[in-house]
Amino acid sequence: AHFSTDPNLRPSGRLELRTQKSAISQFRGLKFLGARFDEGDSIIFLRKEIFCGFLSAGKASVMASSLRLYLTCIRNTLEAAMCLQNFPCQEVERHNKPEVELKTSSELLLNPVLICRNEAERCLIETSINSLRLSLKVKQADELENILTKKFLRFLSIRAEAFQVLRRKPIQGYDISFLVTNYNCEEMQKQKLIDFIVQFMEDIDKEISDLKMSVNTRGRLVATEFLKQFL
Amino acid sequence: MGFSLRPRVENFRIGSDSSLEFQNYGHLSPARSDSGGAGAKAAPYLGGEAKKMAAIAVHQFAQSITCHAWSPDRSMIAICPNNNEVHIYRLSQEKWEKVHVLQKHDQIISGIDWSVKSNKIVTASHDRNSYVWNHEGSEWLPTLVILRLNRAALCVQWSPKENKFAVGSGAKTVCICYYEQDNNWWVSKLIRKRHESSVTSVAWHPNNIFVATTSTDGKCRVFSTFIKGVDTKYGRSSSSSDSKFGEQIVQLDLSISWAFGVKWSPSGKTLAYVGHNSMIYFVDDVGPAPLAQNVALRDLPLRDVLFISEKMVIGVGFDCNPMVFAPDDRGMWTFIRFLDEKKPTLASPKYGSQFSEALGKFYAQSKYGASNNDGNSPSKSRGGAHENCITCIMPLAGKSRITRFSTSGLDGRVVVWDLEKQEDLLHTL
């Protein structure tokens, strides 16, 4: 009854919802993040076949438009979730800890939101009163991509200091994690942070496929050179 | 007269005919508080065509402001620049100069209140302490208040008669402190029971007895703080059955998420507070049978509210724009409009410089020119007076009906807003 029906807020395309609270379509405001669901996480699942109706070109357009939708969904969720404030620790005096990592006071945590593009790609956003944790699972089609992703993201995670919002270790089950605290929001603009994260997600895919291509190319060149001696 | 502000958005228009001087504050550079005294300039602009502009002055004091309070004559402002100090600035000849720095706390100061009649400042900090500062000569002398808290203090407010003040804390308690003349000391009494989580905000009822508190367990509670030695002097009849210290008058469980920013209306009839699920709650007839109204917001949650009059409330929060609420003829509170005009422009596709440098090391090609492409819609910039979350709103001028108020936010700005020129809003006052 109290959700706005502004069409600009709903991402284009339909989303299948696995929860009863159909207000997932409205990402502004923390109505769904604040609600105490009983059925656990809310899952937003993008169905690929829906987009076949919208496009004229082939598979590339399908991937592109579902990527856009996925990223818009994440962006809207982050805009609602990244409302952080300074909050001293309730458990330990004179300390200030990111509550999403601590998880001792359940009233300070909000419901985590899981956004799935397909079975392989997922994004988990957990929020609390002073911090937000975003974990990504990147698409890994074959073994080579698996190794490349792991090495590349490990390379980035080790240099997490330079990124400030990156977490050194990804959450169990995911490839990379971000930890945004209220201090980050005070120093930097929220919109720019969200832009960074969304851009990061876009570029990860391109980077992994570039790496894979270069590995394959090099392998082919090396093999050709090696086998030339047997000609 | 110079106006110093670093514009983060190209189209940030301040006034049509004011001469603008842009000073680069270096948004990502640390420790600007020392240069704050010299750099912060008063910037009142009243452009001729800016009739409808509600924000009449924008002052940049620091990188980030936690809270602020005005002196009784409104010539001085006390701010906390997100560290353990209080900076007091005085406005002299259109420039702000830093006159005092109050340094006693060890951790960030979460609340400042400046009493109007007795000219005392009370500060509360995350280091579990609170100090009452008295102005003696040209110095501010602190007096420690033993709060007996074992967690951080989150908010503080003087009572209307200024003989008591209330401190909300992370220890799930509220401290009511009063001055004991015999010992020359501020004594505290704790309201221990009832709160299940940190107390985020406190507000005094005009009768100096009731205090409303909001907490991160989502509930708003009203307590009686009748103290025998302090309150009987004012002729309050003790026949009321609620006059026991710490007695809970009413508990409002309206919000499913954290509650912030509680305030009473000037007569004490209505109570307003905000929930983190983007709702604002108005409660009439606080007592055994309160009448509550929920107003859902379209956008991001609010942090604080202020009663302009009995019939108008301004809410501020994560939208960086004050929102006006007023009841219609039937008494149903609704959202009227935003106070600040926003000029939505396409933000430049660059992110913070640190990120682009770090990313540039890993991505050989430069894609910043092309990032302004189709799907990845760049974020809409605010273009308003505040660029980051507004955390605090304080009244400035006006007795029964506030005509001016000020807001401070995490972007380090204090913006003064004027309602005189907003004709459509004046009708509803």
Side-chain angles (χ1 to χ4, degrees), chain A residues 138-142 144-146 148-149 152 202-217, chain B residues 363 365 367:
Chain A
V138 175
K139 173 184 58 153
Q140 290 150 52
D142 54 14
L144 177 63
E145 271 191 17
N146 216 343
L148 285 174
T149 311
F152 180 59
E202 267 198 66
D203 294 337
I204 280 275
D205 285 338
K206 285 187 207 131
E207 193 60 37
I208 300 289
S209 50
D210 282 348
L211 282 173
K212 181 173 172 185
M213 213 153 33
S214 69
V215 164
N216 283 333
T217 313
Chain B
Y363 299 90
Q365 65 274 39
K367 39 186 71 181

Side-chain angles (χ1 to χ4, degrees), chain A residues 6 68 90-91 107 155 186, chain B residues 151 197-198 258 298 362:
Chain A
D6 188 336
R68 289 289 142 243
Q90 269 181 179
E91 310 295 320
E107 75 267 11
F155 178 77
E186 283 162 18
Chain B
R151 294 288 181 271
S197 191
S198 302
W258 316 309
R298 197 196 96 144
F362 300 113

Side-chain angles (χ1 to χ4, degrees), chain B residues 8-190:
Chain B
R8 265 178 223 108
V9 174
E10 285 71 16
N11 289 7
F12 182 81
R13 300 269 294 284
I14 306 105
S16 61
D17 48 1
S18 50
S19 64
L20 307 172
E21 239 174 37
F22 293 107
Q23 213 181 69
N24 189 352
Y25 274 109
H27 177 62
L28 298 172
S29 68
R32 251 214 325 268
S33 43
D34 348 283
S35 65
K41 291 202 193 130
Y45 54 91
L46 295 163
E49 64 126 45
K51 265 195 186 31
K52 289 290 230 157
M53 289 269 265
I56 57 168
V58 178
H59 313 298
Q60 178 93 32
F61 285 109
Q63 195 180 16
S64 204
I65 293 183
T66 323
C67 49
H68 72 285
W70 292 92
S71 65
D73 55 358
R74 309 311 193 205
S75 67
M76 296 203 277
I77 184 173
I79 61 159
C80 169
N82 217 21
N83 58 11
N84 59 341
E85 301 171 344
V86 177
H87 294 192
I88 300 185
Y89 286 84
R90 191 208 308 275
L91 181 63
S92 51
Q93 298 129 23
E94 308 276 328
K95 274 176 67 122
W96 289 98
E97 46 169 306
K98 194 192 297 191
V99 287
H100 297 113
V101 174
L102 310 179
Q103 276 171 325
K104 211 65 165 100
H105 286 287
D106 298 321
Q107 285 188 298
I108 187 175
I109 293 174
S110 46
I112 305 178
D113 202 9
W114 202 324
S115 64
V116 173
K117 288 176 229 154
S118 43
N119 200 30
K120 292 206 236 287
I121 299 180
V122 63
T123 57
S125 153
H126 285 182
D127 63 358
R128 316 170 309 157
N129 291 334
S130 171
Y131 284 93
V132 174
W133 303 80
N134 289 298
H135 194 72
E136 320 234 332
S138 66
E139 287 294 313
W140 286 90
L141 296 180
T143 311
L144 176 67
V145 180
I146 305 287
L147 289 174
R148 295 184 285 144
L149 287 179
N150 54 6
R151 294 288 181 271
L154 295 178
C155 51
V156 65
Q157 202 184 45
W158 283 106
S159 70
K161 294 202 178 83
E162 287 160 21
N163 52 358
K164 298 190 280 192
F165 62 90
V167 180
S169 82
K172 310 179 190 178
T173 59
V174 180
C175 296
I176 311 292
C177 306
Y178 58 96
Y179 193 64
E180 216 161 66
Q181 196 65 42
D182 326 329
N183 299 338
N184 201 16
W185 196 240
W186 288 89
V187 177
S188 78
K189 285 188 82 162
L190 293 174

